[in-house]
Amino acid sequence: VFTMNEKYELHPLTLAQSEFAAKNHDLVFQYLRSRNLPEDEFYGEVILGYLSAVQRYEEESWLRQYRFRSVAFAAMESAASSYRKNRAHQREREVSFEEAALWAA
């Protein structure tokens, strides 16, 4: 199964990458709808995955054996998953802090 879990550091897009990103931007909304993710919460997270897919698709020739849609969805899935994990971890810390405060009272 194809995944995009490894970290990738974004850098400024080239003109060609910017044009490619704009041309395929609807994939971001297709991804959000397909996963029933609220746009207002997840767009900012998955767009980073999408842009990394744009860059990597051009820069790493081995990725072009796959359809761009597959690469983009894998990168957005990785970004959304990381966001969910970070959000869950943050909630756990908040609950632990609240419980500690209750015991101290």
Side-chain angles (χ1 to χ4, degrees):
V1 174
F2 175 75
T3 63
M4 295 276 286
N5 289 334
E6 64 275 359
K7 292 287 183 191
Y8 178 81
E9 190 167 325
L10 282 172
H11 50 276
L13 297 172
T14 65
L15 178 59
Q17 290 170 342
S18 293
E19 290 171 351
F20 188 80
K23 177 182 155 197
N24 293 286
H25 185 251
D26 64 312
L27 290 175
V28 176
F29 299 105
Q30 287 177 25
Y31 171 79
L32 291 170
R33 282 191 303 269
S34 73
R35 302 299 191 270
N36 295 314
L37 298 175
E39 184 179 323
D40 61 336
E41 181 180 357
F42 281 85
Y43 180 88
E45 301 299 324
V46 302
I47 194 67
L48 297 175
Y50 172 75
L51 293 173
S52 73
V54 167
Q55 287 185 336
R56 293 181 68 182
Y57 199 71
E58 180 194 35
E59 296 169 1
E60 300 177 24
S61 60
W62 71 270
L63 284 174
R64 291 191 290 275
Q65 68 183 304
Y66 304 102
R67 292 180 24 225
F68 176 68
R69 182 182 191 281
S70 299
V71 173
F73 269 52
M76 289 186 284
E77 185 66 30
S78 178
S81 177
S82 292
Y83 172 69
R84 280 190 216 95
K85 286 177 188 171
N86 289 339
R87 188 178 63 182
H89 181 66
Q90 181 64 32
R91 285 185 183 151
E92 286 175 14
R93 289 192 320 178
E94 289 171 3
V95 168
S96 294
F97 179 75
E98 289 171 8
E99 288 175 351
L102 287 174
W103 283 102

